[in-house]
Amino acid sequence: MTALLVVAFLLVAAGGTVVVLTREPARQAVTLSVYGVLLTLLFVLLQAPDVALSQVAVGSAVVPLMVLLAVRKVRGGKR
């Protein structure tokens, strides 16, 4: 295992911890997006470009957007 992979694994572990420890849902969506980028980097380093492309599209863009829309819908319903 190369040093670059070890660094990538540590970044992914730290990113996952930050996502879990973030309490506010809107901020959690942003950290989830950053976590998706970190996973994309890891998949590229593991020579899985197809998985990396899927991760960047779904994990970095679609899922955080859906979370933000859900948060907006829930907060909008209370008014």
Side-chain angles (χ1 to χ4, degrees), residues 69-79:
L69 291 174
V71 168
R72 182 176 177 181
K73 181 74 173 177
V74 168
R75 287 185 180 167
K78 291 182 180 179
R79 292 181 186 172

Side-chain angles (χ1 to χ4, degrees), residues 10-77:
L10 290 175
L11 284 174
V12 167
T17 303
V18 169
V19 170
V20 169
L21 294 178
T22 303
R23 292 291 183 187
E24 186 179 343
R27 288 185 181 179
Q28 194 173 35
V30 174
T31 57
L32 184 63
S33 179
V34 173
Y35 180 67
V37 172
L38 291 173
L39 279 176
T40 301
L41 174 69
L42 179 63
F43 291 139
V44 168
L45 290 175
L46 291 174
Q47 298 179 354
D50 52 343
V51 180
L53 285 174
S54 299
Q55 178 61 36
V56 78
V58 175
S60 300
V62 175
V63 171
L65 179 64
M66 289 176 62
V67 170
L68 284 175
L69 291 174
V71 168
R72 182 176 177 181
K73 181 74 173 177
V74 168
R75 287 185 180 167

